[in-house]
Amino acid sequence: MSGVNGRPLGRRTFVLGSAAAAGTAALTGPLATTASAASFGWSDDGSNYVVDTGASLVFKVSKTNGDLTSLVYKGTEYQGYGGKNSHVESGLGTSTVTIAQSGTTILISVAYGTLKHYYAARSGENNVYLWTNKGDSSVSATRYIVRVKAGLFLNDEPDSYTYAPTVIESADVFEKSDGQTRAKHYSKLRVMDYNYIGWTTGSVGLWIVRSNHEKASGGPFYRSLLRHQSADGGGLYEILYYGENQTESERYGLQGPYVIALTDGGAPSSALYPGTLTTSWADSLGISGYVAASGRGKVAGVGISGRNTAYAYTVGLANSAAQYWGSARASDGYFTIGGVLPGTYTLTVFKGELAVYTTSVTVTAGGTTTLNTITVPSSNDPGNASAIWRINNWDGTPGGFKNADLMTYAHPSDVRAASWTGNVVIGSGTETSAFPCYLWKDVNSGIIVYFRLTAAQAAAAHTLRIGVTTAYANGRPQVVVNDTWTSAVPSPPTQPSTRSLTVGSYRGNNYTFTYSVPASAWLTDTSAYNTLKIYVASGSGTTSFLSAGTSIDAIDLLA
């Protein structure tokens, strides 16, 4: 793809999760260093502090506001597009900026009210280490954006390419002439799915390696901005707090390090990844809020029983101050979560993205909290209940439903989406793939599910369950059976108040609606199809894909 005047606009974006990325370290060496660091040091050009890492990287930080104003790798300037610098949020404004050198480390400190931000360089490394300490809500959100000049990288993963002729939603979702949609929101990946994001030409790589997100919000499954490209350049993000479809309150305190890494085209070293990066060299730098490894603890679980082995399980820790997570081993559910700040946490076991068990754990500095085998009660997993019929599996996601995969990187109006309407017949073999992942009041409310019951089944009352993963504008399902029995309009559960279904996110608060359907509602003719009509009830929302809506996890009729 080419940009304005035929200039290329980005090459392939490499985004790898922990398992996939484990074998990439050999591409760049242990810390992407060069053989000599003879020129390591800093200078003052009057407007900026200029740091030479003694490798192939020289960068500048504004003495006025702490912006990164230059990022030169092997003589090429990568910083800047649209006249903008790289910075926290949209730029901090006038700040107190200082610099100090301690042996082989240079630290630039930026103070802006209650927010403190840091840049660090290590002798002989082509890396910039960053920390951000947000003390309160005086800065509206927290992100760091690296703004990259146009024309330096090709773009063959264009979903977040934001230069398109037609704006279709809120000035940040676009449609191309071929009907495909683009937005900076369409990251595809959850936080736990990647360690770094960026671009490579094959001979130069520019990356952001994410932090452990301990002071972020939303948990391991949260999706947020990762990168975008436009006509005048590209942006790489480290999102520390973002309000779009957010399920948790904002956390404050020091987050980092996250790393801007330059390479000779390969992936950044795995030694920089969250949970792997060792920063003992930063212990004595005086970074506000910094807690060394010795001041942290670990949680280890010997196993999880009662799992459905067809699913991956994740264990999360969360309290008002911090969040962490780790994957449970497929064979026995063993897990370990290290680098945890001391405190008492809610531990949650997730089947897929569905919480099936919670308990409380306390972590102490320098200690390991060891948990005996966790047993997930059978009743905690809705998939264990005996059902007359079931559409999709209970895993906390709409995965498997029609259009589900597309929705993390496209708008629902995208030409690639299958029709959002269409009814479903139980027993057809296509129940799940034919049922849309999202329902909207103004788009496909009233979808019909056809099913037969035996005489014994029709003679009894049954519970109908509809699981949802998020909702927009308080959208929630109301059901009608055989056009004779109508459920009450259920109360809306707590869900994020922002856009979700149109900006690549189905992840909100999982909730199960239950409906007690009396025996009198069923047809007594066992050869006839019963009908279940699912409507979206809400008094808010606007029209089309911004009308009230909800994302579906699973639907079943219990025996």
Side-chain angles (χ1 to χ4, degrees):
M1 174 179 291
S2 296
V4 175
N5 298 324
R7 292 178 300 169
L9 290 171
R11 185 167 173 168
R12 184 175 183 182
T13 300
F14 287 80
V15 188
L16 299 180
S18 299
T24 64
L27 294 175
T28 58
L31 282 174
T33 64
T34 60
S36 172
S39 60
F40 177 72
W42 66 271
S43 60
D44 183 340
D45 70 2
S47 299
N48 306 277
Y49 291 121
V50 183
V51 178
D52 189 331
T53 67
S56 300
L57 177 63
V58 179
F59 65 92
K60 297 180 182 181
V61 175
S62 168
K63 294 167 57 181
T64 301
N65 56 21
D67 285 2
L68 183 71
T69 60
S70 177
L71 189 68
V72 175
Y73 180 66
K74 293 188 174 181
T76 298
E77 176 68 76
Y78 286 88
Q79 198 312 112
Y81 71 79
K84 297 179 180 179
N85 297 321
S86 300
H87 42 219
V88 175
E89 197 48 26
S90 296
L92 294 177
T94 302
S95 305
T96 300
V97 184
T98 58
I99 191 168
Q101 182 170 343
S102 176
T104 57
T105 301
I106 294 171
L107 181 72
I108 297 176
S109 303
V110 182
Y112 177 78
T114 59
L115 187 144
K116 295 178 173 61
H117 180 70
Y118 303 90
Y119 301 87
R122 297 277 289 161
S123 177
E125 296 184 13
N126 293 317
N127 305 313
V128 184
Y129 298 85
L130 302 96
W131 289 262
T132 303
N133 188 334
K134 184 175 179 180
D136 54 37
S137 61
S138 57
V139 175
S140 61
T142 310
R143 67 177 182 181
Y144 193 91
I145 178 170
V146 178
R147 301 186 186 275
V148 183
K149 292 175 67 175
L152 296 175
F153 298 98
L154 296 174
N155 180 28
D156 58 6
E157 291 190 20
D159 301 302
S160 61
Y161 179 63
T162 58
Y163 182 75
T166 305
V167 178
I168 61 172
E169 183 179 302
S170 193
D172 61 4
V173 182
F174 305 88
E175 184 179 71
K176 296 173 59 186
S177 58
D178 63 3
Q180 291 192 13
T181 54
R182 302 286 188 263
K184 63 184 180 181
H185 304 284
Y186 298 150
S187 65
K188 296 184 183 179
L189 301 179
R190 307 168 300 177
V191 176
M192 67 179 294
D193 294 331
Y194 72 95
N195 288 316
Y196 59 89
I197 49 97
W199 297 292
T200 181
T201 65
S203 59
V204 174
L206 174 57
W207 318 95
I208 283 188
V209 183
R210 72 167 176 86
S211 67
N212 68 353
H213 279 227
E214 70 180 359
K215 294 295 184 179
S217 298
F221 313 123
Y222 188 66
R223 283 182 172 85
S224 191
L225 283 67
L226 294 181
R227 65 178 179 101
H228 80 270
Q229 288 178 284
S230 61
D232 56 355
L236 302 178
Y237 295 87
E238 165 74 339
I239 298 289
L240 305 178
Y241 180 78
Y242 194 56
E244 201 86 77
N245 206 37
Q246 182 58 253
T247 58
E248 294 184 298
S249 298
E250 186 171 7
R251 295 180 171 94
Y252 301 114
L254 184 70
Q255 180 65 65
Y258 47 104
V259 187
I260 303 171
L262 282 298
T263 73
D264 289 337
S269 169
S270 60
L272 300 175
Y273 295 171
T276 303
L277 178 59
T278 300
T279 56
S280 56
W281 50 266
D283 291 358
S284 60
L285 294 180
I287 295 172
S288 175
Y290 183 92
V291 179
S294 60
R296 298 169 178 270
K298 178 189 294 187
V299 175
V302 299
I304 303 172
S305 66
R307 293 174 298 122
N308 182 331
T309 56
Y311 296 89
Y313 280 69
T314 301
V315 180
L317 302 176
N319 62 20
S320 61
Q323 61 170 10
Y324 308 89
W325 58 83
S327 297
R329 192 161 63 192
S331 59
D332 56 7
Y334 168 83
F335 63 90
T336 180
I337 304 172
V340 179
L341 293 171
T344 298
Y345 295 85
T346 297
L347 180 151
T348 304
V349 177
F350 297 93
K351 169 198 173 187
E353 296 184 15
L354 184 66
V356 293
Y357 180 87
T358 61
T359 190
S360 179
V361 297
T362 299
V363 179
T364 58
T368 298
T369 302
T370 302
L371 304 177
N372 294 324
T373 297
I374 292 173
T375 300
V376 177
S378 178
S379 59
N380 284 18
D381 182 347
N384 290 332
S386 178
I388 296 172
W389 53 259
R390 177 170 292 142
I391 306 176
N392 214 0
N393 300 308
W394 292 88
D395 67 354
T397 82
F401 280 130
K402 182 166 62 175
N403 292 329
D405 290 343
L406 182 67
M407 287 302 96
T408 60
Y409 62 93
H411 191 268
S413 65
D414 196 288
V415 68
R416 292 168 289 179
S419 171
W420 288 102
T421 58
N423 301 320
V424 173
V425 179
I426 299 298
S428 65
T430 61
E431 298 94 333
T432 298
S433 61
F435 197 98
C437 61
Y438 298 162
L439 300 177
W440 289 274
K441 187 174 183 178
D442 199 35
V443 176
N444 55 356
S445 182
I447 277 182
I448 304 174
V449 178
Y450 295 91
F451 59 97
R452 290 189 176 102
L453 295 176
T454 66
Q457 291 166 344
H462 297 285
T463 296
L464 173 75
R465 302 187 301 182
I466 301 178
V468 303
T469 70
T470 195
Y472 176 69
N474 285 332
R476 66 270 198 196
Q478 182 183 24
V479 300
V480 176
V481 176
N482 291 320
D483 293 325
T484 60
W485 182 86
T486 302
S487 73
V489 177
S491 299
T494 300
Q495 296 289 5
S497 60
T498 61
R499 288 179 298 164
S500 53
L501 308 181
T502 59
V503 291
S505 179
Y506 60 76
R507 179 68 189 172
N509 294 313
N510 291 104
Y511 185 83
T512 301
F513 294 92
T514 59
Y515 311 84
S516 298
V517 185
S520 59
W522 311 123
L523 300 180
T524 57
D525 182 355
T526 59
S527 65
Y529 280 106
N530 291 268
T531 60
L532 168 68
K533 295 181 180 178
I534 305 175
Y535 294 91
V536 176
S538 176
S540 57
T542 57
T543 60
S544 189
F545 297 110
L546 287 178
S547 63
T550 190
S551 172
I552 307 298
D553 179 10
I555 305 170
D556 58 20
L557 184 67
L558 299 186

